[in-house]
């Protein structure tokens, strides 16, 4: 028992240290993908580049370290643990250096990037730009990735030593604890570290765990005496016989010939496994949304599965003399369970949970993209985490478990020569990582765009099943045993593949995409490089653009209103604007609105998705085929990266309508650093307009986003394009205000613009100024205690709103309509609207009631507007959002009465009476209006009723006395 206890004392602390190493490694990877997104642009190319360099570095580092570790073991076997400790410390220093350098690389990236023009006329990043980015990533990340890869080989060589019979078990445990550490890092980085400490703080956590691992290893190397017998090198002719060892009861000798087929098999299985990880990510992005939590949970479950599978494989390697047989069987099982899980998944259970919230109908009525907020329930409610994890576990849990068998069992097959343990472990690890990198690139850039999810899975599983062929070549058992295992595996995987290919070609994607409403029909669906793009239509309502099954933009009336306001309102405030940048094309509403202004000479569109841009023709009835306009230049690129590549002071307007603000990568377009970049590229007096859907995040997050904006643009105003679709306007000037006479003149000079704005109830000066929500002072006061969103702290990605926590769509502290004069100083004289904005006070009064309304009240207004053409104050927009109530009709009646339109006022007061017959105020207003029209008897009835209901209403009593006095005079 004492040798076992001594071995545990030596190994358990070391396993813990390697757990810390895996933990820190995944923190680095997750954070680097984010940081390089800001440096190179949040594109699939950027993420793929970082992951490829990272994984290849791990593989090459393991391979290069292997021979060195073997040589070191021959001469100084007790020095390998010390070498591991020093490597961990160096990794920590390198990680610290990278974390300091990364935020400053964006300028270098922009300097080495350039566009080339395609035959279509669109601009894309040149090949040289991508090569330059590869060079930057290689120079920055390769050294640390090589060192990380070397740690595995060093510890394998240190732990296995001469005990080759149990080497597979030790390698399995080592691989498992490192992978489980990586799983913990993947989970906690996005769920705890970044939200609490920011990206830099998360990297400092990784550095800390590198120091723990390094210092701990040096301590063990110093205080734990290594009992290792120095090996005497024999002549090469005698090495084979000296290294020959018994494998359990099989008496199988070492065969160098098994290394090549096992390496090929691990490369093929790595190709299939990592390719499926990309397929799974696309699938769950459709099912659950493109949130950080989705990727973090997916990666965590896969890593936990691999770690658990590694432990199970280690157990098997100690109790079987034919580990290659298990590898062959596992390949067939992997194919079967992977296809079964993918085919089982369905969006219907998810939809049933989503639509259960009372706010669903409200959001469904919003401009198409608002529905995305519904999906955010998963990351905010107590049960939401389980609803995220449950479908993932059912689809990928067992396949991930089987993934963990490959590397440990592969080592159990070939680790039969003491002098080559490190070299062979490095070869297998390199083969597996090279296969994984090729699989991820092939799936993301070739298979998914060309074949889609279902057929991509077919190709990947065919590759996985084909891996049994090289495995069978490494099998030293009898021909009969080899044939039976091979046939069994092929039968398991082949039956699954056979059933899979008989499914309808759209089986998986159709089950993954959300079901359309009864009247909604799909016009097109295409699986592209970055997402699945759909266009749907509801006759008489409009068309929607969906990516990965989630609405992004639409042509509904309210959607058009806020999207067009993003361009129209700031451009009308600028003298002869000439250049604009539109970040996020959507369906083209904003771009088309900008193109209608006659002074515009150049409009640049920056959008990541070629497929979204290619769908523009489906919305030509509202966007006027704007991408064919010679003034419009299309850049297929991340908007922030595009801005970095342009000269300073390039634009009169920069306008943004990015994807939902909780989606991964979108935070880079709402940070303080981004707004500073935008201001640098604005001309003097230029504007930036930012979409701010406050209903998608909690109030504290909205305030943080506003704080980031006003820190850079202190002269700002918050307006509402449509309901809770808020817009932030900032100006590169000393003041921000509008003048009604100037607005009226600008509209008269551009009748096409006025006509377009009138279609969405923005065609008058009153309606434009009536979009006001909050002044710069109001925003500054409301956000006084809020920390701004920064690149380092993308808080909105961790604060997606839940339906069960719907609350106010707009934080009350940012709404103060009484301060409208701060934006339009000449709109009011003695607190009364000037003629150009006649009725502005009533308009804002009604809007204030809409902002304060509950979701149920807004839904009621929407249903009323849909049932009949409801106009409120002559506006269909107000008719769609102002709740139906006696107070609203009283406000309208008073406004009409003040203008002497008593007959119309009486109609409003009667409607108020119908809704609230016991309202003293309504009875009073109706009585006074009737008296003004000479209907004294009816007026007396209502005035008496008002006084009866509210004896303290002195004004009603006065009006009653007046009418009675008139009666006495008669």
């Amino acid at each position: 028992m004492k040798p076992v206890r001594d071995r545990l004392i030596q190994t358990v602390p070391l396993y813990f240290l390697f757990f810390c190493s895996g933990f820190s490694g995944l923190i680095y990877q997750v954070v680097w993908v984010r940081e390089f997104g800001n440096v190179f642009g949040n594109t699939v190319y950027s993420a793929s580049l970082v992951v490829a360099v990272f994984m290849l570095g791990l593989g090459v580092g393991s391979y290069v370290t292997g021979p060195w570790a073997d040589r070191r073991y021959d001469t100084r076997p007790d020095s390998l643990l010390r070498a591991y400790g020093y490597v961990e410390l160096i990794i920590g220093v390198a990680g610290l250096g990278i974390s300091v350098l990364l935020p400053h690389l964006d300028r270098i990236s922009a300097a080495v990037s350039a566009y080339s023009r395609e035959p279509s006329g669109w601009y894309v990043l040149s090949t040289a730009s991508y090569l330059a980015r590869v060079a930057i990533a290689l120079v920055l990340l390769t050294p640390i990735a090589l060192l990380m890869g070397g740690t595995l080989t060093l510890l394998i060589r240190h732990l296995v030593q001469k005990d080759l019979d149990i080497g597979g078990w030790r390698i399995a445990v080592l691989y498992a604890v490192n992978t489980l550490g990586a799983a913990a890092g993947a989970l906690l980085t996005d769920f705890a570290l970044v939200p609490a400490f920011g990206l830099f703080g998360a990297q400092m956590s990784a550095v800390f765990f590198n120091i723990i691992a390094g210092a701990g290893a040096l301590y063990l190397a110093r205080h734990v005496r290594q009992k290792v017998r120095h090996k005497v090198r024999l002549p090469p002719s005698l090495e084979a016989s000296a290294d020959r060892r018994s494998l359990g009861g099989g008496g199988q000798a070492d065969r160098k010939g098994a290394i090549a087929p096992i390496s090929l098999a691990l490369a093929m299985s790595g190709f299939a496994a990592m390719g499926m990880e990309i397929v799974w990510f696309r699938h769950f992005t459709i099912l659950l949304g493109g949130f950080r939590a989705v990727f973090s949970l997916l990666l965590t479950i896969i890593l936990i599965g691999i770690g658990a599978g590694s432990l199970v494989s280690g157990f098997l390697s100690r109790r079987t003399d034919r580990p290659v047989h298990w590898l062959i069987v596992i390949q067939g099982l992997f194919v079967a369970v992977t296809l079964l899980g993918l085919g089982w998944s369905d969006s219907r259970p998810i939809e049933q949970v989503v639509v259960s919230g009372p706010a669903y109908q409200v959001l469904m009525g919003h401009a198409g993209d608002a529905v995305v907020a519904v999906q955010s329930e998963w990351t905010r409610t107590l049960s939401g985490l389980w609803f995220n994890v449950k479908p993932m576990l059912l689809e990928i849990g067992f396949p991930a478990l089987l993934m963990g068998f490959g590397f440990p069992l592969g080592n159990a097959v070939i680790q039969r020569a003491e002098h080559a343990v490190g070299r062979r472990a490095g070869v297998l690890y390199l083969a597996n990582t090279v296969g994984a990198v090729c699989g991820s690139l092939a799936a993301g850039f070739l298979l998914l765009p060309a074949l889609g999810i279902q057929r991509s899975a077919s190709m990947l599983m065919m590759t996985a099943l084909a891996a049994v062929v090289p495995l069978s070549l490494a099998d030293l058992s009898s021909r009969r045993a080899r044939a039976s295992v091979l046939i069994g595996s092929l039968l398991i995987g082949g039956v699954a593949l056979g059933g899979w290919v008989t499914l309808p070609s759209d089986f998986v994607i159709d089950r993954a995409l959300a079901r359309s409403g009864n009247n909604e029909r799909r016009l097109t669906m295409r699986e592209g490089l970055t997402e699945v793009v759909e266009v749907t239509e509801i006759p008489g309502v409009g068309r929607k653009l969906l990516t990965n099954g989630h609405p992004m933009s639409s042509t509904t009336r309210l959607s058009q209103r806020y999207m067009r306001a993003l361009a129209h309102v700031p451009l009308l405030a600028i003298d002869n604007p000439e250049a604009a940048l539109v970040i996020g094309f959507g369906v083209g509403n904003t771009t088309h609105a900008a193109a209608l202004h006659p002074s515009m000479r150049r409009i640049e569109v920056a959008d990541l998705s070629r497929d979204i841009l290619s769908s523009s023709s489906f919305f030509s009835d509202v966007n006027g085929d704007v991408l064919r306009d010679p003034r419009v230049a299309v850049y297929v690129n991340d908007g922030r990266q595009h801005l970095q590549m342009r000269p300073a002071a390039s634009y009169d307007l920069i306008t943004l309508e990015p994807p939902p603000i909780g989606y991964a990568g979108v935070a880079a377009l709402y940070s303080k650093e981004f707004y500073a970049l935008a201001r640098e590229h604005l001309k003097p007096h230029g504007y930036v307009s930012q979409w701010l859907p406050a209903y998608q995040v909690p109030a504290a997050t909205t305030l943080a986003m506003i704080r980031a904006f006003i820190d850079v643009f202190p002269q700002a105003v918050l307006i509402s394009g449509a309901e809770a679709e808020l817009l932030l306007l900032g100006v590169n000037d000393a003041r921000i205000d509008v003048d009604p006479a100037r607005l009226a003149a600008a509209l008269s000079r551009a009748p096409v613009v006025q006509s377009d704005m009138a279609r969405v109830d923005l065609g008058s000066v009153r309606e434009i100024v009536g979009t006001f929500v909050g002044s710069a002072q109001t925003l500054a006061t409301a956000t006084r205690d809020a920390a701004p969103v920064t690149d380092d702290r993308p808080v909105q990605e961790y604060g997606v709103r839940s339906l069960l926590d719907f609350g106010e769509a707009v934080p009350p502290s940012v709404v103060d309509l009484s301060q409208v004069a701060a934006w339009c100083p000449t709109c009011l004289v003695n607190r009364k609207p000037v003629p150009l904005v006649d009725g502005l006070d009533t308009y804002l009064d009604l809007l204030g009631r809409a902002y304060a309304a509950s979701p149920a009240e807004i839904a009621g207004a929407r249903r009323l507007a849909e049932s009949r053409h409801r106009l409120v104050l002559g506006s269909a927009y107000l008719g769609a959002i102002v709740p139906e109530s006696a107070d609203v009709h009283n406000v309208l009646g008073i406004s009409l009465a003040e203008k002497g339109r008593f007959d119309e006022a009486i109609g409003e007061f009667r409607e108020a009476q119908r809704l609230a017959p016991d309202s003293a105020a309504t009875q009073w207003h109706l009585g006074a209006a009737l008296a003004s029209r000479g209907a004294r008897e009816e007026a007396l009835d209502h005035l008496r009723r008002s006084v009866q209901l509210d004896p303290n209403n002195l004004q009603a009593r006065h009006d009653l006395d007046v009418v009675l006095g008139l009666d006495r005079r008669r």
Side-chain angles (χ1 to χ4, degrees), residues 67 133 228 298 364 540 637 676 759 784 806 821 839 861 863 904 939:
R133 295 176 182 202
V228 179
L298 175 69
M364 280 299 294
N637 195 9
R759 287 192 308 106
R784 179 176 52 242
F806 197 72
R863 288 192 297 270
E904 296 172 72

Side-chain angles (χ1 to χ4, degrees), residues 321-499:
D321 61 353
R322 301 298 177 203
V324 72
H325 285 177
W326 282 102
L327 278 175
I328 293 172
V329 172
I330 283 163
Q331 288 303 114
L333 286 174
F334 176 71
V335 171
V337 298
T338 298
L339 295 179
L340 180 64
L342 188 59
W344 170 88
S345 293
D346 195 349
S347 65
R348 280 174 293 188
I350 295 173
E351 289 175 354
Q352 291 169 6
V353 175
V354 171
V355 299
S356 64
Y360 176 72
Q361 295 298 327
V362 179
L363 292 177
M364 280 299 294
H366 257 285
D369 39 17
V371 185
V372 177
V374 175
Q375 311 295 339
S376 66
E377 179 175 13
W378 308 84
T379 58
R380 293 287 297 166
T381 65
L382 184 61
S383 59
L385 184 62
W386 169 243
F387 281 118
N388 256 330
V389 172
K390 183 179 177 180
M392 289 186 182
L393 283 175
L394 292 173
E395 183 171 336
I396 66 175
F398 199 27
L401 181 75
L402 297 179
M403 287 180 189
F405 284 71
F407 183 72
L409 287 181
N411 274 278
V413 173
I414 69 169
Q415 294 293 7
R416 298 296 153 194
E418 182 187 353
H419 72 277
V421 169
R423 182 181 299 109
R424 293 185 179 187
V427 167
L428 292 192
Y429 196 63
L430 176 63
N432 193 242
T433 54
V434 168
V437 169
C438 293
S440 66
L441 296 178
F445 292 94
L446 298 176
L447 297 180
L448 282 173
L451 304 178
I453 291 176
Q454 190 164 325
R455 287 188 291 173
S456 294
S458 301
M459 298 298 293
L460 292 168
M461 290 303 95
M462 288 178 186
T463 304
L465 191 58
V468 301
V469 175
L471 286 174
S472 67
L473 298 178
D475 189 359
L476 297 179
S477 63
S478 67
R479 180 179 300 178
R480 182 175 180 180
R482 185 165 62 246
S484 61
V485 171
L486 180 62
I487 292 172
S489 181
L490 289 173
L491 187 62
I492 294 171
V495 169
L497 269 170

Side-chain angles (χ1 to χ4, degrees), residues 11-22 84 174 177 209 212-213:
T11 57
V12 170
L14 192 55
Y15 288 143
F16 169 74
L17 297 180
F18 208 40
F19 178 93
C20 294
S21 179
Y84 165 76
L174 191 68
V177 296
F209 282 100
I212 291 292

Side-chain angles (χ1 to χ4, degrees), residues 879-892:
I881 68 167
V882 174
E884 182 76 348
S885 69
D887 287 345
V888 167
H889 287 286
N890 280 327
V891 169
L892 292 170

Side-chain angles (χ1 to χ4, degrees), residues 7 18 156 267 352 365 568 572 668 691 729 737 762 769 818 827 854:
R7 175 59 67 183
F18 208 40
I156 288 175
Q352 291 169 6
H568 282 317
L572 286 172
W691 177 52
L729 300 184
D737 55 48
L762 280 173
V769 178
S818 66
C827 281
S854 67

Side-chain angles (χ1 to χ4, degrees), residues 740-741 765 824-829 831-840:
V765 177
C824 187
T826 57
C827 281
L828 303 175
V829 176
R831 298 187 178 180
K832 293 293 183 182
V834 299
L836 280 173
V837 290
D838 183 42
L840 178 63

Side-chain angles (χ1 to χ4, degrees), residues 852-876:
S854 67
E857 289 173 325
I858 295 175
R862 182 69 54 77
R863 288 192 297 270
L864 187 62
E866 291 172 352
S867 64
R868 58 183 173 85
H869 185 58
R870 184 188 185 216
L871 297 177
V872 173
L873 206 64
S875 168

Side-chain angles (χ1 to χ4, degrees), residues 162-173:
K162 293 179 63 65
D163 300 326
L164 300 182
D165 283 340
I166 61 171
W169 162 250
R170 289 178 181 165
I171 292 173
V173 174

